[in-house]
Amino acid sequence: MENVPCTMKAWIYGQHGKPEDVLKLKSDVVVPELKEDQVLVKVMASGLNPVDNKRMIGIFVHAECPFPTVPGYDVAGVVVKVGSQVKNLKVGDEVYGNIHEKALDHPKQYGTLAEYTAVEERLLAPKPKNLSFAEAASLPVAIGTAYEGLQRCEFTAGQSILVLGGAGGVGSMVIQLAKHVFGASRVVATASTGKLELLRNLGADLAVDYTKENFEDLPEKFDVVYDCVGQCERAVKAMKEGGKVVTVSGAVTVPAFKFIVTSNGADLEKLNPYLESGQVKAIIDPKGIYPFSQTLEGLAYVDTGRVAGKVVIHPIQQDN
């Protein structure tokens, strides 16, 4: 068993504000205590998400955890300690997951932008054997959101789907899951000009350049429209009569609905065979791997809204 130190390096903030003003790398952050149902994970890689920036600037202040806060949701790493009630995981297991069960409802004080993080066993799954830690860390929030949204729409084989923002973290997963897991009859997705080839490679039957045409003017309508970009009012115009629109961003136009992902290791386990067979791939932006010391640059890139796939922090410093 690894000798776990008492303190660790972690990115941490003690007040709301812009990341470059409030987020600091400290080397004396106390390693979190384990609850009975938790494991301590030595973090090998952490995925970044838009919610990290939004929480830091104080958008969700009504449901926040106490300060000081270590940001980060996605983790891939190695179990180094287990709580007394942990049943299936053991020291040495390689795992991945989204450590916050409810993304915006009092998330944990200590996230994944740290050398160690404590997380409930039920939120983790074994890391797919063929994926690197960086690839695994890019997945949990994005693939979990994509999967939960498709389930909530009761999306089934033979249905058609339009994905708005198909090149982003969630959108790139929606395309792949709809096509290869749920058995969509037709997948259409939007992106900017330079990302159309990515959409086709992911499995889109038609890639729509949103800089040149309006998706709601397409001659076809869809069983499901999955809006990853906050264009709900337009999305509703693209659905079939009796169809469904789900959004994960922005205002909601009836009859669309919005949800916020609930982390669930069992869903990741269900999807592992598709990841291990290569039917579903982790998508990391070509510029999207930043070392731990450049976490601020990674967050700034996420904030541009131009990321293809995900941004990942790897390696995490562990030279204690």
Side-chain angles (χ1 to χ4, degrees), residues 25-26 87 142 223 315 318:
L25 180 57
K26 300 204 168 168
K87 296 180 176 65
D223 294 305
Q318 272 153 351

Side-chain angles (χ1 to χ4, degrees), residues 39-49 52 71-79 89 93-100 108 110-121 123-128 132-142 263 268 310-314 316 318:
V39 300
L40 189 68
V41 176
K42 181 176 182 174
V43 181
M44 306 305 288
S46 174
L48 299 185
N49 294 283
D52 295 312
Y73 284 69
D74 291 314
V75 69
V78 181
V79 175
L89 292 177
D93 284 349
E94 297 184 350
V95 294
Y96 76 130
N98 166 7
I99 73 157
H100 300 291
K108 292 182 177 70
Y110 295 100
T112 62
L113 288 170
E115 292 182 309
Y116 296 91
T117 194
V119 55
E120 291 77 9
E121 179 183 34
L123 306 185
L124 295 170
K127 179 181 79 64
S132 67
F133 283 109
E135 288 170 324
S138 76
L139 286 164
V141 168
S263 176
L268 293 178
K310 288 294 292 283
V311 173
V312 175
I313 302 302
H314 174 77
I316 306 286
Q318 272 153 351

